[in-house]
Amino acid sequence: MKVFFLAIVLTLTAVVNSQTSFVKDAVTKTPVSFATISFGDGRGTFAGEEGEFRFEASKYKDIDSLYISAIGFESKAVATKGLISQVLLKPAASQLEEVVLTSEKKGKYKKKKLKETTHINYYNSWLPTVESEVAVFFERQEGKSTKVAQLWLPINSEKEFRKKGNMKFSTLFRIQFYKNDNGLPGDAMVHDDIVFRVSEQDDEMYELDISKFQIFIPKGGLYASLQVLGYADPQGKLIQTKKYNEIETPRGIQKVSITFRPLLPFTNDLPAQKTFVRRVFFNNKKWQVFDKSYNENSALVKTGHVNYGMGALLHIYNK
């Protein structure tokens, strides 16, 4: 009887300390998928496809506020104490003014492939963390209307280096696009979510068809980014997990980001620097060029592997 009573108490305690909330559009009341949930201290997580996220107060006792944001919406801060079950985000007026409903162009076009650059060397690959995002620059072609129809995403599942052991993984990624702001990724371009799952079966290259999203390159070019959302189940649903490990060091307990497979092969074969990286929950989301100014001690930087060789299939319209 005592054991049964203790089990009930522990269950109730877990319920009290763990709150599932949903992020929704304040106007339509529809879910805001994969919203960013920042803890304000360099940590955070992402909401799932239905806008759901779980905050466990017992794991983050020092966090009193969450900062919730999503492209196309105004950011919002909410208190963790008595966390509300439904967080409503207002559409951002500045973003709504820029949204243009574009139908499929009917004119003739020619295809142009910008070839990906990749390799299978584990040691020259970047191991992403849950908040990491890598962006690559693409130019408009021939001064004409240019649509991004497909992306070729180099990956490395480490098969060549780990012949034995459990190589299974399931990672959820998101593609986003940003306008060119004087050589840096600038304002986000609003479009429907482009989210996909990568597993150990997707070795060397992931081909992503995005033609239905009507992504056209502005005159100044755009940045296409690849962002890690976290672990996914076999159906591609984001798994709500703790995103940081706690490691005891001489300086005390340090929170270290969990890394996610697959690796991203960086290359030294491209003639110009065109890759930027950032951590979504750290350094005020600041984009930085991937060179010595980002991390002079990086083994990739030291060997000149400073670019992610993302490729693309473009449709260049005659008119």
Side-chain angles (χ1 to χ4, degrees):
M1 187 67 180
K2 290 182 178 179
V3 174
F4 178 71
F5 178 75
L6 179 60
I8 293 177
V9 171
L10 291 175
T11 300
L12 291 175
T13 301
V15 171
V16 170
N17 288 320
S18 178
Q19 167 75 48
T20 298
S21 299
F22 294 83
V23 185
K24 294 186 177 182
D25 185 314
V27 177
T28 65
K29 301 301 188 294
T30 54
V32 177
S33 302
F34 310 109
T36 301
I37 318 296
S38 175
F39 298 171
D41 66 344
R43 294 175 290 172
T45 186
F46 294 99
E49 185 175 3
E50 298 301 319
E52 78 282 1
F53 70 93
R54 180 178 294 274
F55 179 78
E56 299 185 46
S58 59
K59 290 184 179 180
Y60 306 102
K61 296 179 181 179
D62 55 333
I63 303 301
D64 59 12
S65 297
L66 301 179
Y67 303 89
I68 303 175
S69 61
I71 292 176
F73 293 89
E74 296 180 2
S75 300
K76 187 172 186 177
V78 296
T80 57
K81 186 177 181 180
L83 183 62
I84 54 180
S85 60
Q86 185 171 271
V87 180
L88 301 178
L89 297 185
K90 295 180 180 179
S94 59
Q95 293 282 5
L96 289 175
E97 291 172 358
E98 296 179 2
V99 174
V100 178
L101 299 179
T102 305
S103 60
E104 176 65 45
K105 288 184 177 292
K106 301 298 183 181
K108 293 182 180 180
Y109 62 84
K110 65 179 180 180
K111 298 180 180 180
K112 181 176 182 178
K113 181 178 179 180
L114 303 180
K115 185 174 174 56
E116 70 284 349
T117 305
T118 188
H119 58 73
I120 57 172
N121 191 326
Y122 167 86
Y123 299 104
N124 292 330
S125 296
W126 190 48
L127 181 56
T129 59
V130 69
E131 78 269 43
S132 59
E133 189 172 5
V134 55
V136 173
F137 183 67
F138 290 105
E139 293 180 318
R140 176 183 275 192
Q141 301 293 307
E142 304 172 13
K144 297 180 179 179
S145 182
T146 305
K147 174 181 174 180
V148 184
Q150 293 183 13
L151 292 175
W152 280 280
L153 307 169
I155 64 173
N156 189 336
S157 67
E158 303 175 73
K159 287 183 179 179
E160 297 296 321
F161 288 82
R162 298 191 180 187
K163 299 293 185 181
K164 299 180 181 179
N166 183 14
M167 286 299 302
K168 292 185 177 180
F169 61 81
S170 181
T171 303
L172 205 64
F173 284 92
R174 169 165 57 187
I175 293 291
Q176 298 185 128
F177 294 92
Y178 301 90
K179 296 178 181 178
N180 179 19
D181 183 9
N182 295 317
L184 287 169
D187 292 337
M189 299 172 64
V190 180
H191 54 78
D192 292 334
D193 289 314
I194 305 176
V195 175
F196 58 98
R197 184 179 77 95
V198 174
S199 74
E200 74 284 352
Q201 301 299 319
D202 304 302
D203 195 22
E204 296 186 16
M205 189 65 55
Y206 191 96
E207 186 174 321
L208 184 65
D209 186 346
I210 60 171
S211 57
K212 69 178 183 180
F213 294 97
Q214 304 298 313
I215 305 297
F216 286 86
I217 302 179
K219 291 182 179 180
L222 61 70
Y223 288 87
S225 83
L226 182 63
Q227 182 184 46
V228 182
L229 294 177
Y231 292 122
D233 65 19
Q235 288 71 46
K237 183 178 177 61
L238 185 65
I239 299 174
Q240 295 287 324
T241 60
K242 189 174 182 180
K243 302 297 192 280
Y244 287 79
N245 287 327
E246 294 183 352
I247 300 176
E248 188 171 355
T249 71
R251 294 179 295 172
I253 299 296
Q254 299 292 317
K255 294 180 173 65
V256 179
S257 296
I258 295 172
T259 53
F260 290 84
R261 265 56 181 179
L263 306 174
L264 303 182
F266 273 36
T267 179
N268 61 354
D269 289 337
L270 298 179
Q273 176 72 54
K274 66 172 186 176
T275 298
F276 289 78
V277 295
R278 72 172 176 175
R279 292 174 57 186
V280 176
F281 305 127
F282 182 75
N283 199 21
N284 199 29
K285 299 184 180 181
K286 180 181 178 181
W287 285 104
Q288 294 177 273
V289 63
F290 192 76
D291 61 8
K292 289 183 179 180
S293 65
Y294 175 74
N295 183 359
E296 63 180 6
N297 296 317
S298 167
L300 293 176
V301 171
K302 288 181 179 179
T303 58
H305 291 79
V306 294
N307 280 307
Y308 180 53
M310 186 188 301
L313 175 66
L314 306 179
H315 291 176
I316 306 171
Y317 286 81
N318 293 334
K319 295 183 180 180

